[in-house]
Amino acid sequence: MTATNERNEITHEGHTALNERKARIKNLQAVEKNTSNGNFEGLRSFAQDTTLHGAKFLFCEGFIRRLVWLGMIVVCFGVCIYQVYVCLKEYSLYPFNTKMTTNFNRDGNQLPFPALTLCNLNVFNTRRFRQIARGHYSEGVIERKIADISLMTTRSDDISTFDFKERNRELFYRPKMANETNPYAVKFSHQIEDMLLPNGHLFHSCSINGKKCDASNFTSFLNSLLAQCYTFNAAENGKPEQNASFAGQQNGLKLRLNIERESYIPNLIWPSVGIIILIHDQNSFPIVEDFGIAVPPGMSTTCAIRRRNITNLPHPYGTNCRKGTLEAFNGASQIAYRKQACLIKCRNKFTIKSCNCTSTKFKADPAVPLCAPIEEALCVYKSLEEFGNSDEKKKCEKECPEPCNHIEYKTSFSYSGLQRGALIQHLMSFLNGTEKSSVDRSIYEPLLNMTKAEREKYIDDNIIALDIYFEDLSVDIISQTPLYETWALIGDLGGTFGLFLGMSCLTLFEFVDFTFRKFVHFAKGDRGRRAVNVEY
């Protein structure tokens, strides 16, 4: 009985396995049939296999259940599409952060000392003019010419008369080439060797880090509005760049200057007295007339500085910064690109268009002559005012973005009084021959016939003490960094699709693969029939 049951069970198991095999073969044949009929792999079959969450339930039993799952997938897909729009919109704005850090000089390394450009606010030195013209004109003619120069600086209507031109033909001379020198700007402006006070045994009118300096440490250039200006530590003509090893007021640059107030030409348009200074990087062209700081006489002025390294982002970020160099001014070599210098070049092109001459020597315009002094008064100044409200300036603002990398100096000024008695004693020693100096003695000879009160007033009216030093030797680094980068966008989109649909990049590739194979199948027709191997 037992053996019979065992045989029946084995026979039953064999029939069951055979039936299962037949059912599997039938299913495979059905798949083969569907394949041959063009229903390649079917959407139902793909939905069962794809990693897209919820797709397999679109073909489950029950209409209501399929409808609910379809709604859920549509809603989640809609949320993803909205989030894609939001992310792409935010990314298209190219937002950025501005980060400020401080690089402390812990190793005790030297820090490059900046360049200092200074200009006397008086464009025409009457003392120097009288001194040079005395051998060519009578006293009456000299005073008349000084009066005419004053009319020119105030842009009086009298300078357009025939008599004015006959008296001052030299003011109408226009250099033929831009590399020629404007004689009035060079000869009759304040000279740096005259502006520096006479040196003494213990007194230096110019010193850097405790070491004596002089007029040879300055480089001169012509400024369109301020005549001849001077730059200390320009690092040009083979001269080494000065460095700072220590911070604090006892170090840095110390200047003691005489502005010669009595030699000023009357000028109601620019009635200030003193000097104007600009602290800048050696590779930057000093635009003193626009960004300089006025320093008055009669005071001791101290200026603490901090170095800043600034980095901006290029296109497509908002700053749209520009790299490279800019053709230099005054026939010098290439200078680092700066927005302000770019605007000045645009302004000069506007002047050339209006006046057919240039107020400053630009290397970019070698064939354009310098304007005659009278043209400076009649045309150039007017064109500068017109440029401020012109369409050319608006266009130039767009064409002159911020530089990608530049150095600037933050300044902090403080003021105190001068020791009049000590300065008077030093100057009298110079006049009496006790202190030897190469400074023109005639500048200070009027002190010999002054009272004590008049000498003190002379100090208040003429003398400037200027100290420039590093507040500390650290460097502020201000840099722009992208706030929303490409990988952050990809991460946001991936997180959104993963959270709502469970999708990944491979899920997308599944759809691509399915679509491609479907297309190939339709293209081949019956030749795309798959072979089905069945094992018995």
Side-chain angles (χ1 to χ4, degrees), residues 428 431-432 444-455:
M428 295 306 295
L431 290 172
N432 293 328
Y444 300 97
E445 283 182 345
L447 285 169
L448 295 172
N449 300 319
M450 291 182 183
T451 64
K452 179 181 178 182
E454 289 173 337
R455 290 171 181 171

Side-chain angles (χ1 to χ4, degrees), residues 388-407:
N389 298 317
S390 66
D391 294 334
E392 282 83 350
K393 182 182 179 182
K394 296 177 183 178
K395 180 181 178 181
C396 191
E397 287 280 359
K398 297 179 181 179
E399 296 176 350
C400 294
E402 293 292 336
C404 291
N405 297 281
H406 69 283
I407 297 170

Side-chain angles (χ1 to χ4, degrees), residues 116-276:
L116 168 71
T117 295
L118 63 88
C119 313
N120 198 309
L121 288 172
N122 179 42
V123 299
F124 187 82
N125 188 332
T126 59
R127 176 197 60 80
R128 185 172 176 81
F129 178 76
R130 289 188 179 98
Q131 191 177 56
I132 295 175
R134 191 166 290 129
H136 305 279
Y137 304 107
S138 65
E139 290 296 327
V141 172
I142 291 175
E143 296 305 316
R144 180 62 187 180
K145 285 186 173 295
I146 291 176
D148 286 342
I149 294 295
S150 179
L151 291 175
M152 188 179 70
T153 56
T154 56
R155 305 177 216 171
S156 171
D157 294 337
D158 294 337
I159 64 178
S160 301
T161 64
F162 177 79
D163 290 341
F164 183 91
K165 183 175 182 179
E166 286 296 310
R167 292 195 306 268
N168 304 282
R169 289 186 176 275
E170 66 277 7
L171 299 179
F172 291 81
Y173 170 72
R174 174 192 281 186
K176 296 179 181 180
M177 299 296 292
N179 59 2
E180 290 189 45
T181 301
N182 187 327
Y184 262 70
V186 173
K187 287 184 178 180
F188 306 128
S189 60
H190 291 264
Q191 308 297 304
I192 187 62
E193 54 268 24
D194 294 338
M195 292 176 64
L196 291 170
L197 291 180
N199 290 318
H201 179 64
L202 298 175
F203 179 88
H204 300 309
S205 59
C206 176
S207 65
I208 176 71
N209 298 325
K211 297 180 180 179
K212 180 182 177 182
C213 53
D214 53 32
S216 64
N217 295 98
F218 291 81
T219 302
S220 65
F221 68 94
L222 291 178
N223 182 280
S224 58
L225 299 178
L226 297 167
Q228 191 150 250
C229 295
Y230 302 91
T231 300
F232 177 83
N233 196 29
E236 294 180 355
N237 302 323
K239 295 180 181 179
E241 183 181 66
Q242 298 288 341
N243 296 308
S245 301
F246 300 97
Q249 191 171 350
Q250 299 305 314
N251 302 282
L253 175 65
K254 298 179 182 295
L255 296 175
R256 307 295 181 256
L257 305 169
N258 184 354
I259 67 167
E260 292 190 70
R261 187 170 186 168
E262 294 298 322
S263 298
Y264 272 44
I265 192 79
N267 187 353
L268 291 176
I269 294 179
W270 202 327
S272 303
V273 296
I275 62 172
I276 186 168

Side-chain angles (χ1 to χ4, degrees), residues 220-350:
S220 65
F221 68 94
L222 291 178
N223 182 280
S224 58
L225 299 178
L226 297 167
Q228 191 150 250
C229 295
Y230 302 91
T231 300
F232 177 83
N233 196 29
E236 294 180 355
N237 302 323
K239 295 180 181 179
E241 183 181 66
Q242 298 288 341
N243 296 308
S245 301
F246 300 97
Q249 191 171 350
Q250 299 305 314
N251 302 282
L253 175 65
K254 298 179 182 295
L255 296 175
R256 307 295 181 256
L257 305 169
N258 184 354
I259 67 167
E260 292 190 70
R261 187 170 186 168
E262 294 298 322
S263 298
Y264 272 44
I265 192 79
N267 187 353
L268 291 176
I269 294 179
W270 202 327
S272 303
V273 296
I275 62 172
I276 186 168
I277 67 170
L278 182 66
I279 300 169
H280 57 94
D281 178 54
Q282 279 79 7
N283 292 325
S284 301
F285 183 80
I287 308 175
V288 191
E289 65 273 23
D290 289 331
F291 304 102
I293 299 172
V295 178
M299 290 186 178
S300 176
T301 302
T302 58
C303 177
I305 59 176
R306 287 182 66 92
R307 181 183 172 108
R308 286 180 169 178
N309 294 350
I310 300 177
T311 302
N312 296 313
L313 289 172
H315 179 81
Y317 294 91
T319 46
N320 189 26
C321 72
R322 175 177 166 183
K323 298 180 180 179
T325 58
L326 189 70
E327 283 193 273
F329 301 78
N330 297 316
S333 59
Q334 297 267 341
I335 61 173
Y337 170 81
R338 295 291 184 271
K339 178 176 181 177
Q340 294 83 359
C342 180
L343 291 173
I344 293 298
K345 295 204 74 171
C346 287
R347 190 173 71 180
N348 189 68
K349 290 180 181 179
F350 185 83

